[in-house]
């Protein structure tokens, strides 16, 4: 980088007026993002080596202190020199690298020796980064084919963009970039996912099984009406009321099956996970159960294991505008006896799954529903004896009714936060104190009960909620 300026006056001849030239003492080239020097005047005929920095595909005018007869370039693929006049040459940067040049007079003596370093013009990249990433202060330094990025960026997203832009500038090679940028904004993101589900079910069954026989002499007839229940609800009732009538050769037995069943299920899962911007994180609270996968020729069963529980995978990205980009994959899996099978004496449960996968952008602290379900199932089945089962009143003796209604409400919410230092949170184990022997034996307490009140109250007085562990 040329840093010193001096004025030199020289009398060329009596017919040539006094010329004032700008002379530059040349120092070793530094890769800072300063403006490229385009005109260099050498002060005296000397064989001392001088170093200059030349931008790729850029030119520089060299004014020599003596008439040049010949110029030698050691590596023409890096830089070239053309003689425009006896005392002026033009240098051109052709390829990245270092080379040297020798300027010789008519007698073969050295007029000047230049060590030329051809580098990329980092001012273009600096300008592009400043324009495309406002708010970031990124410095560019070029060393041959390599680029060093330093300074600060507002987010991890800006850092990745700066790396991508610099890679295009260097010809698409990310290996030629050393990224030393420091991210100044918050980079840790906590994500809380809420899975809330309420399931309601109602089952009603009513049916009459009627059997009878009539005997008259050698003639015996029978009636059998045994409609099955559970076809719609898959629930078989054991509630029954039986009545029997016998008179002479007439025998009649009626069995009434009736069931009314209601169910309510509430599920609330709130996993929370923290990760750095741009990094994936995974969370699982649950377990595994075996599932048959194959049977060999000897009848041996091989098993694979299926996970169940609450699972959360997410990758956050903090954007330059303060918005958090999220790649979310969450699921809640629970074993159930509905649909379970038995293999070799081992009962394999089925599972109920609630799963959501999405890509969203949210401001910190805001909540978005990424999945929702309202489901209302109604199933009803009537079994009747043809003809007689359709008769009013008496037809009820030959009919059975199976009714099922399921209602499910499900919502999955996500809320991202910037993770900032704070006090130690309350732990679930903080308020649990095991009961002493006296409380456990005489009162049947599992944990010690305590009260909350005014600590400044006189001894012997009780205030507030006493005798309860408050959350």
């Amino acid at each position: 980088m040329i840093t010193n300026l001096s004025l030199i006056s020289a009398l060329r001849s009596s017919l040539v007026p006094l010329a004032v030239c700008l002379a530059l003492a040349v120092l070793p080239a530094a890769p800072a993002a300063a403006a490229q020097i385009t005109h260099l005047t050498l002060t005296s005929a000397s064989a001392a080596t001088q170093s200059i920095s030349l931008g790729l595909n850029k030119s520089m005018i060299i004014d020599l202190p003596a008439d040049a007869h010949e110029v030698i370039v050691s590596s023409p693929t890096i830089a070239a020199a053309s003689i425009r006049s006896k005392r002026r040459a033009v240098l051109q940067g052709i390829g990245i690298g270092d080379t040297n040049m020798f300027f010789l007079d008519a007698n073969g003596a050295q007029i000047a020796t230049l060590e030329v370093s051809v580098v990329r013009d980092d001012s273009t990249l600096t300008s592009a980064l400043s324009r495309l990433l406002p708010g970031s202060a990124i410095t560019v330094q070029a060393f041959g084919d390599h680029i060093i990025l330093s300074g600060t960026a507002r987010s991890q997203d800006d850092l990745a963009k700066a790396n991508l832009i610099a890679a295009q500038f260097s010809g698409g090679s990310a290996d030629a970039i050393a990224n030393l940028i420091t991210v100044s904004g918050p980079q840790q993101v906590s994500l809380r996912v809420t899975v809330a589900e309420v399931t309601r079910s109602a089952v009603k069954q009513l049916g009459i099984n009627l059997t009878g026989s009539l005997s008259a002499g050698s003639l015996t007839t029978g009636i059998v009406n045994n409609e099955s229940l559970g076809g719609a609800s898959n629930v078989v009732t054991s509630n029954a009321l039986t009545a029997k009538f016998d008179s002479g050769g007439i025998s009649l037995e009626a069995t009434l099956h009736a069931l009314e069943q209601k169910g309510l299920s509430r599920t609330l899962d709130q996993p929370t996970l923290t990760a750095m911007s741009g990094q994936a994180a995974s969370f699982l609270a649950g377990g595994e159960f075996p599932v048959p996968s194959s049977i060999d020729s000897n009848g041996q069963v091989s098993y694979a294991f299926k996970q169940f529980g609450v699972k959360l995978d997410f990758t956050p990205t903090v954007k330059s505008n303060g918005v958090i980009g999220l790649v979310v994959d969450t699921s809640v899996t629970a074993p159930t006896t509905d649909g379970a099978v038995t293999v070799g004496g081992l009962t394999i449960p089925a599972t109920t799954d609630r799963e959501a996968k999405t890509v969203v952008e949210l401001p910190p602290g805001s909540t978005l529903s990424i999945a929702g379900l309202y489901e209302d199932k109604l199933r009803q089945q009537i079994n009747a004896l043809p003809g007689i089962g359709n008769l009013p009143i008496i037809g009820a003796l030959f009919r059975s009714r199976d009714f099922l209604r399921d209602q499910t409400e499900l919502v999955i919410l996500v809320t991202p936060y910037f993770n900032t230092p704070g006090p130690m949170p309350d732990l679930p184990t903080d308020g649990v104190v095991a009961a002493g022997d006296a409380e456990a034996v005489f009162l049947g307490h599992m944990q010690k009960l305590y009260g909350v009140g005014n600590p400044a109250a006189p001894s012997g007085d009780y205030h507030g909620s006493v005798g309860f562990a408050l959350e």
Side-chain angles (χ1 to χ4, degrees):
M1 184 66 63
I2 302 171
T3 58
N4 297 329
L5 300 176
S6 62
L7 292 177
I8 297 179
S9 59
L11 206 57
R12 296 287 302 276
S13 66
S14 60
L15 299 178
V16 179
L18 183 65
V20 180
C21 302
L22 181 65
L24 303 172
V26 182
L27 297 178
Q36 290 283 345
I37 301 300
T38 60
H39 192 170
L40 173 64
T41 300
L42 302 181
T43 59
S44 61
S46 174
T49 300
Q50 300 187 64
S51 298
I52 63 172
S53 178
L54 182 63
L56 180 64
N57 299 323
K58 301 291 184 178
S59 298
M60 180 183 295
I61 298 175
I62 302 293
D63 286 336
L64 301 170
D67 293 345
H69 180 74
E70 184 181 5
V71 59
I72 300 175
V73 181
S74 60
S75 182
T77 59
I78 295 177
S82 59
I83 303 297
R84 308 301 298 175
S85 66
K86 291 184 177 181
R87 297 204 175 192
R88 173 165 288 184
V90 177
L91 273 60
Q92 293 177 313
I94 299 176
I96 300 297
D98 298 322
T99 186
N100 52 7
M101 295 183 180
F102 303 94
F103 292 92
L104 308 177
D105 60 14
N107 298 322
Q110 291 187 14
I111 299 175
T113 301
L114 300 180
E115 291 288 345
V116 181
S117 178
V118 179
V119 297
R120 297 186 185 275
D121 185 5
D122 51 19
S123 61
T124 303
L125 178 57
T126 302
S127 176
L129 293 175
S130 177
R131 183 177 66 257
L132 298 175
L133 304 176
S136 298
I138 300 176
T139 302
V140 180
Q141 293 178 305
F143 288 92
D145 286 333
H146 294 76
I147 296 175
I148 297 179
L149 303 179
S150 59
T152 60
R154 290 184 299 176
S155 65
Q156 193 78 21
D157 186 43
D158 275 2
L159 187 147
K161 290 178 180 177
N163 211 58
L164 180 61
I165 295 170
Q168 298 301 316
F169 185 83
S170 64
S173 175
D175 296 335
I177 300 171
N179 197 326
L180 305 180
I181 299 175
T182 301
V183 178
S184 58
Q187 291 304 296
Q188 288 193 128
V189 177
S190 292
L191 181 69
R192 184 177 67 185
V193 175
T194 301
V195 181
E197 182 183 31
V198 175
T199 302
R200 307 176 188 89
S201 62
V203 178
K204 293 181 180 180
Q205 294 179 349
L206 181 63
I208 295 178
N209 294 340
L210 186 63
T211 60
S213 62
L214 174 62
S215 298
S218 61
L219 176 64
T220 301
T221 62
I223 301 174
V224 178
N225 172 34
N226 192 14
E227 294 88 356
S228 62
L229 293 174
S233 63
N234 292 324
V235 176
V236 179
T237 178
S238 59
N239 301 328
L241 178 63
T242 302
K244 188 175 182 180
F245 172 77
D246 287 316
S247 179
I250 300 175
S251 176
L252 185 65
E253 181 177 347
T255 303
L256 174 66
H257 294 270
L259 171 68
E260 183 173 357
Q261 177 178 296
K262 295 181 180 180
L264 174 65
S265 174
R266 176 182 180 270
T267 301
L268 178 63
D269 297 291
Q270 287 185 311
T272 301
L273 193 59
T274 302
M276 288 288 294
S277 176
Q279 302 298 317
S282 180
F283 170 90
L284 174 64
E288 296 180 333
F289 62 87
V291 177
S293 59
S294 63
I295 301 177
D296 60 17
S297 58
N298 297 324
Q300 297 293 326
V301 181
S302 298
Y303 294 90
F305 286 86
K306 178 179 176 60
Q307 290 183 341
F308 68 90
V310 181
K311 186 177 182 181
L312 172 61
D313 296 324
F314 92 111
T315 302
T317 302
V318 179
K319 305 293 184 178
S320 303
N321 57 0
V323 174
I324 302 175
L326 297 173
V327 180
V328 184
D329 182 358
T330 181
S331 64
V332 179
T333 303
T336 178
T337 56
D338 295 338
V341 297
T342 301
V343 178
L346 177 65
T347 300
I348 309 299
T351 59
T352 58
D353 299 312
R354 281 85 72 200
E355 184 175 348
K357 297 180 181 179
T358 188
V359 180
V360 295
E361 289 187 356
L362 292 175
S366 61
T367 300
L368 177 67
S369 174
I370 62 172
L373 169 68
Y374 179 80
E375 187 178 38
D376 191 350
K377 294 181 179 179
L378 178 63
R379 295 196 297 270
Q380 185 169 232
Q381 179 176 314
I382 295 179
N383 296 325
L385 192 67
I388 193 172
N390 297 325
L391 295 176
I393 303 176
I394 194 173
L397 299 175
F398 301 91
R399 288 196 303 265
S400 63
R401 176 175 177 257
D402 195 357
F403 171 86
L404 171 66
R405 184 170 190 176
D406 279 332
Q407 290 180 320
T408 300
E409 297 177 65
L410 169 68
V411 64
I412 299 178
L413 309 174
V414 293
T415 306
Y417 300 93
F418 283 136
N419 194 19
T420 56
M424 181 69 179
D426 295 334
L427 301 178
T429 56
D430 290 345
V432 178
V433 178
D437 292 340
E439 290 176 305
V441 173
F442 295 106
L443 300 179
H445 291 168
M446 296 294 295
Q447 71 178 66
K448 186 180 293 294
L449 300 182
Y450 59 90
V452 293
N454 185 4
S459 177
D461 292 343
Y462 296 95
H463 299 275
S465 301
V466 178
F468 296 92
L470 299 182
E471 295 182 355

